[in-house]
Amino acid sequence: MIAVPQRIGEIQKNNAQTVSPRIAILRQKIDNEDYLNEAIQRIAQVLSNEILELPHGGSYHERQYKGWK
């Protein structure tokens, strides 16, 4: 087990008072398991598209685009 110094807790309390509302909303969201699962899925999709050198829309978008021609 890793020991965490007490000072870190104090720093976090001080930072909590100066956190922007957007950060506070994000902290609430990441406590939600469904949100985390969707975020992880999206990150995996983006990384996969980058590795496969697909456009930003992914393979579905690519199929749709070819159909338009």
Side-chain angles (χ1 to χ4, degrees):
M1 184 173 180
I2 299 174
V4 178
Q6 292 294 329
R7 186 164 186 255
I8 291 176
E10 293 171 13
I11 292 170
Q12 287 176 344
K13 287 178 186 176
N14 291 339
N15 287 342
Q17 295 170 355
T18 60
V19 171
S20 73
R22 292 176 66 189
I23 298 295
I25 291 169
L26 182 58
R27 285 183 178 164
Q28 288 176 345
K29 286 182 177 181
I30 62 174
D31 285 337
N32 182 334
E33 189 173 338
D34 291 334
Y35 177 83
L36 281 180
N37 289 335
E38 289 177 22
I40 291 168
Q41 180 67 33
R42 178 67 181 136
I43 292 167
Q45 181 182 22
V46 169
L47 290 175
S48 296
N49 289 346
E50 287 292 321
I51 291 168
L52 296 172
E53 297 178 357
L54 294 174
H56 289 289
S59 60
Y60 175 77
H61 176 73
E62 183 70 16
R63 285 192 304 266
Q64 293 292 80
Y65 180 73
K66 288 178 182 176
W68 294 337
K69 287 184 176 181

